[in-house]
Amino acid sequence: MALITISGYPSSGKSQRAAQLKRHLESRLADPSYTGPTLSVVLLSDDTLNIDRSSYNDSRSEKPARGTLFTAVQRSLAQNTIVIVDSLNYIKGFRYQMYCVAREIKVRVCTVYVLATPDLCKQWNTERTDGKAYAPETLANLLQRYEEPSSMVRWDSPLFTVSWTDEDVPADDIWRAITEGVVKPPNTGTQAVAKAPTDALRTLEHTTASIVTALVSEQANSGSLGGATTITVSSTVKVRTTLPPRNVTLSELQRLKRQFVTLHKKAITLGTTEKGVVDWSEQSVADKFVVYLEENIKH
């Protein structure tokens, strides 16, 4: 349904704003006048995921912490879920990653920027008694590295700014954004690449080897006269090809087979760019291989 990204300085009041927003959303969904789809509100935060504030002390510990959060976002996003991500989210590249996941799943997005001055954040961090304060040097480092959201970039839009002087979040505007806003379709950068079946490599090797064996046998039986011939690959697969009017050696066929297999191994591993279609059936591989042979065997 929607991804709501909360962003702001450390100790700026993000969790308070996330809690306010969650209460507003759940209240609207429970209202008898609400006639929309059945939705649930999921709040993801460093606290709910057991990410300690010390994880931000250095990059080595921060990277797996962000990975934990990102995995939780991927797992939670769905058409029937409103996901609120209450974390620093201070790196624009990380916000963009979450935006891409949302586009892939085809849910709406918005960003809530919790605004507070650095001095206030330092004061509030010092006054914390819940054991969740940042180390002073970590806080200073995070304040310096913070990358402010911008309404000018698509992954931060629509952007709602909540100042420390505001009593509440703009719940009405956020509700409209996540229920009536445009769902941006996935683009080529966010679409999942189709994968080949698990037995594709075995099919590739077995089918091409069978064709090489069948061609050698056919040449021996025909006396290497060349011309059109039908090759039986298996009990269910046959292909038609044209042989040159000369003897094509086994070493030449094996060399072309190795080239063909090498060309297609990457496609098997990463998917394909052929209009998003992945066809690694025995018949398809056989058809492609005989065409490759006809184009590369010297006459």
Side-chain angles (χ1 to χ4, degrees):
M1 176 62 177
L3 168 68
I4 303 174
T5 302
I6 309 290
S7 181
Y9 285 154
S11 293
S12 60
K14 295 185 299 301
S15 294
Q16 176 188 350
R17 301 305 190 181
Q20 287 177 333
L21 181 57
K22 186 173 186 288
R23 287 195 296 270
H24 280 296
L25 296 176
E26 289 178 334
S27 176
R28 285 175 179 267
L29 294 172
D31 192 301
S33 64
Y34 174 71
T35 58
T38 302
L39 302 172
S40 61
V41 182
V42 174
L43 176 60
L44 299 176
S45 69
D46 290 353
D47 294 338
T48 64
L49 298 173
N50 296 316
I51 298 173
D52 194 87
R53 299 298 189 274
S54 63
S55 299
Y56 297 98
N57 290 350
D58 60 74
S59 59
R60 286 182 300 178
S61 58
E62 183 181 346
K63 187 174 181 180
R66 280 203 307 272
T68 298
L69 178 62
F70 186 67
T71 299
V73 171
Q74 289 179 301
R75 186 172 58 245
S76 301
L77 279 177
Q79 293 295 327
N80 62 347
T81 306
I82 299 172
V83 179
I84 303 173
V85 186
D86 168 28
S87 186
L88 289 175
N89 298 321
Y90 71 98
I91 301 174
K92 61 183 178 182
F94 184 66
R95 297 197 297 269
Y96 176 71
Q97 280 184 291
M98 293 192 290
Y99 163 83
C100 288
V101 173
R103 287 193 66 173
E104 185 177 330
I105 300 176
K106 299 180 181 179
V107 298
R108 295 178 177 88
V109 299
C110 76
T111 302
V112 178
Y113 177 25
V114 179
L115 184 62
T117 66
D119 287 342
L120 273 176
C121 293
K122 292 176 182 177
Q123 176 187 333
W124 291 338
N125 186 68
T126 303
E127 295 173 350
R128 297 191 76 149
T129 59
D130 55 4
K132 298 174 182 177
Y134 296 89
E137 59 274 15
T138 300
L139 180 66
N141 184 36
L142 291 171
L143 289 172
Q144 184 178 13
R145 292 165 56 199
Y146 185 78
E147 296 175 341
E148 184 176 326
S150 170
S151 60
M152 300 299 292
V153 298
R154 60 190 184 279
W155 57 87
D156 288 335
S157 300
L159 177 65
F160 303 95
T161 300
V162 184
S163 170
W164 72 93
T165 59
D166 295 334
E167 291 186 3
D168 208 343
V169 295
D172 291 342
D173 293 336
I174 294 173
W175 175 258
R176 281 192 292 271
I178 65 174
T179 58
E180 303 173 11
V182 176
V183 179
K184 298 178 181 179
N187 56 27
T188 55
T190 61
Q191 283 180 312
V193 179
K195 297 295 183 181
T198 54
D199 64 344
L201 184 56
R202 186 199 66 80
T203 300
L204 179 66
E205 291 281 2
H206 176 75
T207 303
T208 52
S210 297
I211 291 176
V212 168
T213 301
L215 285 174
V216 172
S217 177
E218 176 64 26
Q219 287 186 127
N221 294 333
S222 65
S224 300
L225 297 177
T229 184
T230 299
I231 301 297
T232 300
V233 181
S234 67
S235 59
T236 58
V237 177
K238 294 183 179 181
V239 289
R240 190 165 180 80
T241 186
T242 302
L243 294 172
R246 68 173 180 85
N247 181 56
V248 183
T249 64
L250 175 60
S251 61
E252 185 177 357
L253 289 170
Q254 288 178 330
R255 176 177 57 81
L256 292 172
K257 169 187 172 294
R258 286 194 299 271
Q259 291 175 354
F260 180 82
V261 169
T262 300
L263 283 171
H264 289 78
K265 273 186 176 180
K266 184 176 182 180
I268 287 176
T269 304
L270 302 178
T272 183
T273 57
E274 296 177 3
K275 301 179 182 178
V277 177
V278 177
D279 185 0
W280 294 103
S281 65
E282 191 177 18
Q283 183 67 63
S284 177
V285 172
D287 291 338
K288 290 179 180 179
F289 184 45
V290 294
V291 170
Y292 182 82
L293 290 176
E294 290 176 355
E295 292 176 347
N296 290 276
I297 291 177
K298 295 180 181 179
H299 289 259

